Amino acid sequence: MSRPAEQTPSTDAPLGDGAYPDSKVSHGGATYWLERSSDGAKRLVAVAADESAFSDFTGSTETVDGEVRLVAPVTAENALALRSALPWLTPTRFGLHTSAGFGDRLGLATPGHVRALNAVGGAINPVFAQQSIREMGRCGRTPRNVLDDATWGAFQAGWTKPVGGDADHLEELDDIDATVAAGFVFYTLDPKAHVDPEAEHADPTAVRAKVEALDWASMDTDLESFTKSYVGHRIDLDQEAIELDEESVLRAMAKYGPSMSHAMALYRRLMAKGIDCEVEFAVDETDHPTKPAEHVVVVSELKRLGMEFISFAPRFVGRFEKGVEHIGDIDELRRDFEIHAEIARALGPYKLSLHSGSDKYSVYPLIAEATKGMVHLKTAGTSWAEALRVIAHNDPDLMRDALTLALESFEANRKSYHLSCDPSRIPAQPTDDEVAHLMDVVDSRQVLHVGYGAILEEFGTRMYEVWNDHEDEHYEIIADHFIKHLKPFAPWAS
Ligand SMILES: [Zn+2]
């Protein structure tokens, strides 16, 4: 990214015990760092020549050797003040630049993500603050919690380049209000509830009936004009052309038409806020792959209706399940990436967004190359899965309890997630050795991956103690895991 952090060299302000040395940064006449006190609580410390530098913060100040020293708790109010004092911590738009989202359900993983980015190098732009409304609900977090935890984590780890902020999978109008109020800059609009899966296999008469029943007036057109503008047309791409025949055009509209109306309602609600932001249109969590002709019709119609978006998340071929490798024919997937990327360049350009992007190591080089780096990688939940390794390693009994609960509550937890695990293959009373490998086996990894809501509600307090007591081990595990995700993108990143 072009915006360099306006960072001046640190002063030699002495760091106290428990300080995070990487966090120390000087800007605007003050030097800031994060400390951890003996009781485990984190606090912001800063020094400046006079008190006016700290007027936005709430905390205690004292004057030592002619310098004013601030000690402030890590509250929401102080996170906001810190974003204002250190402007690179305020989420910003990334445009078409290569970017990656690090969904962090716990609000603890950002320093590990920073380590991975530093190790990989290159120009991948991070979205540390990213969580779907569904996940926030299950984790008992607010949009503001998500943003603030990412702020503290990036600060702690000494990140001084731009950050994004993704209000992920917004489905309802209220979701827009809640996330705008928190300060997100990237809005993922997800109208999946309005995508019609029946249109995939319906016979032509049924497809036509669905299309005729659409609310055309609300889309500022009518069926005849719509048909004329697509049927018989041909979209020339780098390598090939897409012929738009009547059957595929009508099926595209039957399948996605209602979802476009809903997405436009979300979009208009967002635009009415008048904020500086960018938008993703996502239909990844739907049953049937987005065919090339459907991509063309959907994107062209959204543009005609006035939506500007920076990325599009189609439903790609094969299965993108939580926390495991892509399931399906990898050559077919490569082909799918190539054609969707060609369409995105021809009709946009806009980025392709790869959702459920965690743990799919075979896939990253393919999409990085197909898109030539014009891509957003979105992971959600794999940081949580990896954090469980810290629990398994340091408190096997707690991990066994978590597994028991995840198995008991599995039918409720699995709702709205794509999974193929078989809980009956998981040992009910695993040995310590089996506990150590629960996150390596698909069945237990997926059951625990989606069990986060129930597990955190019951065992969250004990687990956070373990993570806080083994902070560095946690960051190392997260960093190792994400280096494998990010590396294939680095050569293409711009
Ligand atoms: Zn998604």
Side-chain angles (χ1 to χ4, degrees):
M1 280 295 294
S2 51
R3 199 185 79 188
E6 299 161 43
Q7 191 187 342
T8 49
S10 299
T11 69
D12 52 5
L15 296 178
D17 288 344
Y20 295 91
D22 291 340
S23 67
K24 190 179 175 189
V25 64
S26 296
H27 185 77
T31 297
Y32 302 83
W33 67 91
L34 194 71
E35 279 184 9
R36 195 173 147 156
S37 54
S38 50
D39 65 0
K42 291 179 183 177
R43 59 191 185 194
L44 169 70
V45 184
V47 292
D50 71 274
E51 203 157 337
S52 65
F54 305 136
S55 55
D56 292 345
F57 292 94
T58 304
S60 59
T61 52
E62 55 173 348
T63 303
V64 183
D65 298 334
E67 279 192 320
V68 179
R69 185 186 176 91
L70 165 80
V71 177
V74 293
T75 58
E77 196 181 9
N78 285 331
L80 186 64
L82 190 67
R83 289 196 287 270
S84 151
L86 306 178
W88 56 88
L89 293 174
T90 296
T92 186
R93 292 185 288 115
F94 287 140
L96 295 172
H97 294 284
T98 315
S99 49
F102 301 83
D104 170 18
R105 292 170 179 164
L106 302 172
L108 298 175
T110 300
H113 299 148
V114 170
R115 274 188 204 186
L117 284 157
N118 288 340
V120 167
I124 300 168
N125 291 285
V127 182
F128 299 126
Q130 171 220 304
Q131 196 159 42
S132 66
I133 293 289
R134 166 184 65 200
E135 283 195 6
M136 287 183 213
R138 289 194 193 180
C139 294
R141 301 176 87 199
T142 64
R144 187 60 194 278
N145 291 152
V146 174
L147 210 64
D148 292 346
D149 288 340
T151 294
W152 292 116
F155 170 59
Q156 177 184 316
W159 185 259
T160 55
K161 286 185 270 185
V163 296
D166 180 2
D168 198 9
H169 284 292
L170 307 184
E171 297 186 54
E172 306 295 339
L173 292 168
D174 291 350
D175 300 344
I176 301 279
D177 302 344
T179 49
V180 166
F184 285 84
V185 291
F186 180 53
Y187 292 83
T188 300
L189 309 183
D190 176 3
K192 65 169 165 291
H194 305 268
V195 174
D196 183 354
E198 283 173 20
E200 183 78 8
H201 300 296
D203 62 50
T205 318
V207 166
R208 180 160 275 281
K210 282 177 188 290
V211 171
E212 280 169 357
L214 290 174
D215 182 3
W216 288 98
S218 76
M219 293 184 283
D220 298 332
T221 186
D222 54 60
L223 177 51
E224 203 189 325
S225 317
F226 165 80
T227 309
K228 250 192 224 153
S229 52
Y230 293 102
V231 174
H233 288 236
R234 176 189 148 106
I235 312 290
D236 286 310
L237 304 173
D238 303 347
Q239 308 283 336
E240 63 213 285
I242 298 172
E243 305 279 356
L244 297 174
D245 57 52
E246 182 168 344
E247 143 103 48
S248 47
V249 167
L250 292 187
R251 201 175 289 278
M253 207 53 189
K255 184 171 166 185
Y256 291 108
S259 75
M260 287 190 263
S261 297
H262 186 65
M264 284 310 301
L266 293 168
Y267 182 74
R268 290 187 184 114
R269 179 79 149 234
L270 177 60
M271 288 303 111
K273 307 282 181 190
I275 58 165
D276 185 26
C277 65
E278 59 194 3
V279 164
E280 173 166 309
F281 179 76
V283 288
D284 64 295
E285 292 185 351
T286 50
D287 295 342
H288 304 291
T290 308
K291 291 189 263 307
E294 293 170 349
H295 181 160
V296 169
V297 171
V298 166
V299 160
S300 305
E301 282 298 285
L302 289 173
K303 283 169 71 172
R304 182 183 64 78
L305 290 165
M307 185 188 286
E308 284 182 35
F309 49 89
I310 203 68
S311 48
F312 173 46
R315 162 74 163 84
F316 294 112
V317 297
R319 300 214 314 269
F320 286 77
E321 296 189 356
K322 293 295 157 188
V324 296
E325 257 293 354
H326 174 257
I327 301 167
D329 182 334
I330 199 75
D331 288 321
E332 200 191 334
L333 181 64
R334 182 203 309 271
R335 203 54 222 102
D336 204 38
F337 284 154
E338 282 167 359
I339 193 144
H340 283 296
E342 281 188 54
I343 297 169
R345 283 191 289 270
L347 300 187
Y350 43 88
K351 293 193 269 194
L352 282 189
S353 183
L354 178 70
H355 283 225
S356 296
S358 45
D359 307 84
K360 294 176 181 59
Y361 306 108
S362 64
V363 162
Y364 308 137
L366 307 186
I367 194 162
E369 185 173 352
T371 59
K372 304 178 182 167
M374 212 183 287
V375 61
H376 180 67
L377 166 70
K378 197 172 307 210
T379 77
T382 200
S383 295
W384 147 257
E386 291 299 303
L388 287 175
R389 293 187 190 278
V390 184
I391 307 294
H393 182 216
N394 294 290
D395 193 342
D397 287 334
L398 179 54
M399 188 68 171
R400 262 185 287 269
D401 290 346
L403 177 67
T404 303
L405 180 61
L407 284 166
E408 283 168 4
S409 53
F410 178 64
E411 281 314 311
N413 302 338
R414 72 171 308 162
K415 283 200 183 93
S416 78
Y417 286 111
H418 294 282
L419 305 169
S420 60
C421 53
D422 178 357
S424 72
R425 290 195 293 241
I426 302 171
Q429 278 303 316
T431 63
D432 281 5
D433 192 51
E434 285 169 329
V435 164
H437 291 103
L438 285 173
M439 301 319 293
D440 301 322
V441 181
V442 169
D443 296 305
S444 42
R445 187 175 177 86
Q446 286 196 330
V447 164
L448 287 156
H449 196 295
V450 300
Y452 59 98
I455 294 172
L456 286 172
E457 197 181 338
E458 180 74 23
F459 302 115
T461 309
R462 283 168 66 195
M463 286 186 159
Y464 272 86
E465 271 173 30
V466 177
W467 288 314
N468 285 324
D469 289 348
H470 302 277
E471 206 178 16
D472 210 64
E473 178 186 343
H474 180 202
Y475 301 150
E476 267 321 285
I477 287 172
I478 296 287
D480 283 350
H481 189 61
F482 274 91
I483 287 169
K484 291 185 281 178
H485 287 69
L486 299 175
K487 241 188 181 152
F489 291 91
W492 297 95
S494 68

